[in-house]
């Protein structure tokens, strides 16, 4: 056990201070290490589209200063006296959730991501009244329940996107019984989550069709990711030919889009699973689902247990995410590029290698 901090610790992160979403160095304090807390030195942190939503207040609930980042991989440097799951020196991951009530039905079923009192890893308030801050920072303090061990054989920078993008795809496939070999699935949108959707579904033995708005990603989808087919949604003839062909669609698009063209692709009892965070209503006419007993449903990240399963699944199947590693000083450019979909397929910030403490000299403090 590392020496238990008797005082609050000062750390450095990169924070947004207003709805421009621009990040810059920010110094703040973390809570004292509690009995079940794990202190994590951040090594890498993936960049998710949700980081843009939150930093730019696109969901209308952002609080500033805000340190984003919820695909965090780091090294345990200290543990509280009641920590049993992790030890100093472990390489671990922290995802979207860092707290829950532990008493409601979802919590008791170990799907704590659906707890109505869940606490987000950033842009939220912890039980002690402090704002939570994410992984674009040198250090985090996290309850052991929400820390998962990174298995041997998985590089830490590769593991980071699996803590959000990977488990976000794995969880609904498992929950909705869509893991049997031979199923025909569609992956709508080929970004950070979508590219993991292709990889995970293929590893489960599915026939995978990537659905995109243009043909520009065809070679990437089929030659690099191993998709079996590629469907351009603006090609009316091709869409008509593919009607009633899919058992499910994993919809990763994070902006408003029509539903009916994609519902037509589903077989009887097919499922359209929404994964993208969209701040305005989607619409469809009811016969599109009634006349095929089709389902529109949603899924949100995954539990800590499912995250551990996802990591182990990826090790066993030899799956990795396709990433572009950047330094913290490049994070604003990375966010801009992500917003225009100019990344293949996930940015990961090398936090430990970015000397962010030096960059914070003279920066505002909490």
């Amino acid at each position: 056990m590392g020496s238990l901090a008797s005082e609050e610790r000062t750390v450095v992160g990169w924070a947004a201070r207003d709805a421009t979403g621009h990040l810059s160095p920010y110094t703040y304090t973390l809570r004292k290490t509690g009995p079940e807390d794990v202190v994590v030195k951040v090594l890498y942190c993936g960049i998710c589209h949700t980081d843009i939503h939150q930093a730019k207040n696109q969901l209308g609930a952002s609080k500033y200063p805000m340190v984003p980042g919820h695909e965090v991989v780091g090294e345990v440097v200290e543990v509280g006296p009641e920590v049993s799951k992790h030890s100093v020196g472990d390489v671990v991951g922290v995802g979207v959730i860092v707290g829950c009530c532990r008493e409601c039905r979802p919590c008791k079923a170990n799907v704590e991501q659906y707890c109505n009192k869940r606490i987000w890893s950033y842009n939220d308030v912890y039980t002690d009244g402090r704002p939570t801050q994410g992984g674009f920072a040198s250090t985090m303090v996290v309850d052991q329940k929400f820390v998962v061990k990174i298995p041997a054989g998985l590089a830490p920078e590769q593991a980071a996107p699996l803590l959000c993008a990977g488990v976000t795809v794995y969880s609904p496939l498992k929950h909705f019984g869509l893991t049997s070999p031979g199923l025909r699935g569609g992956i709508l949108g080929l970004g950070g989550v979508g590219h993991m959707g292709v990889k995970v579904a293929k590893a489960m033995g599915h026939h995978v069709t990537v659905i995109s708005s243009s043909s520009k990603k065809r070679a990437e989808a089929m030659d690099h990711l191993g998709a079996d087919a590629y469907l351009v949604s603006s090609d009316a003839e091709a869409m008509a030919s593919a009607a009633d062909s899919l058992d499910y669609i994993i919809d990763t698009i994070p902006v408003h889009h029509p539903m009916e063209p994609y519902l037509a692709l589903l077989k009887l009892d097919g499922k359209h699973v929404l994964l993208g965070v969209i701040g305005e209503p989607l619409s469809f006419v009811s016969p599109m689902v009634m006349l095929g007993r089709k389902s529109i449903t949603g899924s949100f990240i995954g539990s800590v247990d499912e995250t551990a399963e996802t990591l182990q699944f990826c090790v066993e199947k030899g799956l990795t995410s396709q990433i572009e590693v950047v330094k913290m000083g490049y994070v604003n450019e990375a966010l801009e590029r992500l917003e225009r979909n100019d990344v293949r397929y996930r940015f990961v910030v090398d936090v430990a290698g970015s000397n962010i403490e030096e960059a914070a000299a003279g920066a505002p403090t909490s």
Side-chain angles (χ1 to χ4, degrees):
M1 181 174 69
S3 60
L4 202 62
S6 59
E7 299 179 355
E8 298 173 343
R9 67 183 71 222
T10 299
V11 299
V12 176
W14 276 52
R17 291 172 171 78
D18 54 43
T20 64
H22 182 83
L23 306 185
S24 58
Y26 171 62
T27 301
Y28 57 102
T29 57
L30 297 177
R31 68 177 183 268
K32 297 177 183 178
T33 308
E36 295 194 34
D37 280 339
V38 175
V39 182
V40 178
K41 174 188 175 182
V42 178
L43 301 176
Y44 295 94
C45 187
I47 302 178
C48 176
H49 205 280
T50 300
D51 296 326
I52 297 173
H53 286 317
Q54 296 284 22
K56 293 192 171 185
N57 196 27
Q58 293 174 349
L59 303 178
S62 297
K63 300 177 181 66
Y64 304 100
M66 176 202 302
V67 178
H70 60 230
E71 298 179 349
V72 187
V73 175
E75 179 185 351
V76 177
V77 295
E78 181 184 307
V79 295
E82 296 178 20
V83 171
S84 58
K85 296 181 179 180
H86 306 287
S87 302
V88 170
D90 286 352
V91 178
V92 297
V94 179
V96 180
I97 305 296
V98 295
C100 64
C101 78
R102 309 190 189 212
E103 298 176 352
C104 66
R105 180 184 170 194
C107 284
K108 290 182 177 179
N110 291 323
V111 284
E112 63 282 340
Q113 71 271 33
Y114 298 114
C115 172
N116 288 332
K117 296 181 180 179
R118 61 187 169 271
I119 300 174
W120 308 111
S121 54
Y122 68 89
N123 196 38
D124 207 344
V125 178
Y126 201 64
T127 54
D128 61 359
R130 290 174 177 266
T132 59
Q133 304 288 12
F136 294 173
S138 56
T139 308
M140 294 180 72
V141 178
V142 186
D143 186 290
Q144 66 170 339
K145 176 178 174 60
F146 303 95
V147 178
V148 61
K149 187 171 292 187
I150 303 300
L154 193 57
E157 66 272 22
Q158 287 286 346
L162 303 180
L163 301 169
C164 176
V167 72
T168 293
V169 170
Y170 181 90
S171 177
L173 290 174
K174 177 186 176 184
H175 175 76
F176 293 115
L178 300 170
T179 59
S180 301
L183 291 177
R184 301 179 71 89
I187 305 297
L188 180 52
L190 194 61
V193 177
H195 98 282
M196 286 308 306
V198 176
K199 290 191 170 197
V200 170
K202 285 295 296 180
M204 290 179 174
H206 298 178
H207 180 283
V208 177
T209 298
V210 169
I211 309 164
S212 189
S213 59
S214 73
S215 60
K216 66 180 182 180
K217 294 184 179 179
R218 185 186 300 272
E220 298 172 29
M222 301 190 70
D223 298 340
H224 299 154
L225 298 177
D228 300 287
Y230 190 93
L231 189 57
V232 178
S233 58
S234 58
D235 186 336
E237 184 176 345
M239 291 286 284
S241 297
D244 302 316
S245 67
L246 301 178
D247 294 295
Y248 67 86
I249 292 174
I250 297 294
D251 185 345
T252 73
I253 298 177
V255 296
H256 186 274
H257 57 282
M259 295 289 292
E260 293 175 8
Y262 309 112
L263 292 170
L265 302 176
L266 293 172
K267 297 178 181 179
L268 175 68
D269 292 326
K271 293 179 174 62
H272 188 123
V273 185
L274 296 168
L275 302 183
V277 178
I278 303 169
E280 53 186 306
L282 302 176
S283 62
F284 59 93
V285 294
S286 60
M288 291 299 299
V289 293
M290 293 168 58
L291 298 180
R293 203 164 59 194
K294 301 172 184 181
S295 302
I296 299 173
T297 187
S299 182
F300 176 62
I301 54 166
S303 66
V304 175
D305 288 347
E306 288 172 323
T307 302
E309 286 182 32
T310 300
L311 296 173
Q312 191 58 45
F313 176 85
C314 289
V315 170
E316 292 172 357
K317 299 293 185 180
L319 300 185
T320 57
S321 49
Q322 291 189 211
I323 61 175
E324 179 177 339
V325 178
V326 299
K327 299 296 186 182
M328 187 65 80
Y330 189 77
V331 69
N332 290 300
E333 288 84 352
L335 289 165
E336 291 173 5
R337 285 179 54 193
L338 174 59
E339 198 161 20
R340 61 178 185 264
N341 201 25
D342 178 24
V343 58
R344 301 294 180 269
Y345 286 93
R346 203 70 154 186
F347 283 114
V348 174
V349 180
D350 178 5
V351 178
S354 295
N355 297 318
I356 60 175
E357 289 87 354
E358 294 179 12
T365 60
S366 59

